[in-house]
Amino acid sequence: MTDKILHANPSKNRTPRHRAREFALQGLYQWLLNNEDASTVVNNIRAAHGFDKADGDHFTVLLYGAIKDSVALRESFAPLVDRGVGELSPIEHAVLLIGAFELKNNLEIPYRVVINEAVELTKSFGGIDGHKYVNGVLDKLAVRVRPDEVAADKKR
């Protein structure tokens, strides 16, 4: 991996948790394209420049969790996408796996934060309007996965 890929937004003040998501995205991208074993992907990413500034625990949970639960996660967002999951760009696919995993498993993270982080990842690494697509899909998924939280937020 090149330094440019690892630091798509060097000017932004990124938190360790955001960096963990960036590295998880890179790992999922590698997994999607090369179909490598999760432990191989984790070892490759952990050796990357700048990983020491990431939240290593969150990275591990995200990457292993998204890979382990990938079938169920895809099933959760497949009805919300306008094409087959296999037709998504690898970046959008990986970001949706991360976002869906966090929405389902990290209830301590507000759903709006999960969606915003996914949008930022897609802006950094994805296509021109990919962030709008990811935003729409995860917004609909949040209503399904966290209906009480979304309803309470809409009342404000």
Side-chain angles (χ1 to χ4, degrees):
M1 290 186 196
T2 66
D3 207 34
K4 183 177 180 183
I5 291 171
L6 294 175
H7 301 290
N9 284 325
S11 63
K12 287 192 175 184
N13 184 14
R14 297 171 302 174
T15 65
R17 196 163 260 200
H18 182 80
R19 290 173 190 268
R21 290 181 183 98
E22 288 179 335
F23 284 112
L25 170 62
Q26 292 172 37
L28 284 169
Y29 183 88
Q30 181 179 343
W31 177 74
L32 287 168
L33 292 183
N34 300 331
N35 200 26
E36 290 181 334
D37 182 66
S39 60
T40 301
V41 173
V42 167
N43 290 335
N44 288 344
I45 298 297
R46 283 189 173 276
H49 176 70
F51 186 82
D52 59 317
K53 295 178 182 171
D55 179 337
D57 292 338
H58 194 62
F59 161 78
T60 302
V61 168
L62 280 179
L63 189 59
Y64 278 120
I67 290 173
K68 180 175 124 328
D69 298 345
S70 62
V71 172
L73 295 172
R74 286 180 184 120
E75 288 172 356
S76 71
F77 63 74
L80 308 173
V81 297
D82 62 353
R83 61 196 100 149
V85 172
E87 296 175 41
L88 294 170
S89 80
I91 294 294
E92 290 170 358
H93 190 170
V95 171
L96 287 172
L97 287 171
I98 291 169
F101 181 83
E102 284 194 308
L103 283 172
K104 288 184 167 195
N105 297 287
N106 295 100
L107 301 179
E108 75 282 2
I109 303 172
Y111 84 96
R112 286 187 175 274
V113 172
V114 171
I115 294 171
N116 184 58
E117 287 289 325
V119 166
E120 291 302 316
L121 286 174
T122 311
K123 283 181 180 178
S124 296
F125 296 96
I128 292 173
D129 283 335
H131 67 282
K132 294 176 186 176
Y133 187 77
V134 165
N135 184 44
V137 172
L138 290 179
D139 198 44
K140 292 174 191 168
L141 183 61
V143 171
R144 293 180 176 197
V145 175
R146 298 188 187 184
D148 295 339
E149 182 183 353
V150 172
D153 188 56
K154 301 244 187 239
K155 289 181 182 179
R156 290 184 194 166

